[in-house]
Amino acid sequence: MSSFRSNKLARFLQNLPGFKTFGEYSILPFLFLGGAALEYVMIHWHFGEVNFYRTFKRRQAQERAQTIVENYLSKKSEEKNQ
């Protein structure tokens, strides 16, 4: 276990289930579960009536509308110049 800088980290990893089989990669299932929990919280945790995905979708729709309007206006200005 000399590749770890911290003895506490080395002891923690050695005590994980499956460490003898998978080595340092035995922590991956815990990381996947943590990522899934974070994703669940981002979907289901609301601040008032807003959550992460509603805000993301709104911003994405605004950007899309902005590009449509810019494309329309640039075509109109090209038609006037011709």
Side-chain angles (χ1 to χ4, degrees):
M1 266 299 126
S2 64
S3 64
F4 294 111
R5 292 183 183 195
S6 169
N7 289 333
K8 289 181 183 180
L9 178 62
R11 269 188 265 129
F12 173 75
L13 286 175
Q14 286 176 348
N15 291 331
L16 284 177
F19 181 76
K20 291 180 183 176
T21 306
F22 299 114
E24 298 165 356
Y25 299 106
S26 61
I27 199 168
L28 285 178
F30 298 107
L31 297 176
F32 289 135
L33 289 174
L38 177 66
E39 194 70 26
Y40 181 83
V41 165
M42 288 171 67
I43 292 170
H44 295 288
W45 196 10
H46 296 272
F47 296 101
E49 293 186 19
V50 179
N51 67 359
F52 173 78
Y53 285 107
R54 284 186 187 160
T55 305
F56 176 75
K57 282 193 258 182
R58 185 181 320 117
R59 185 176 302 146
Q60 195 173 26
Q62 288 173 345
E63 289 174 1
R64 188 177 220 179
Q66 178 99 17
T67 58
I68 290 171
V69 168
E70 288 173 359
N71 289 340
Y72 177 76
L73 293 176
S74 67
K75 286 181 184 178
K76 284 291 186 180
S77 66
E78 288 175 4
E79 289 175 3
K80 283 185 177 180
N81 292 337
Q82 289 180 356

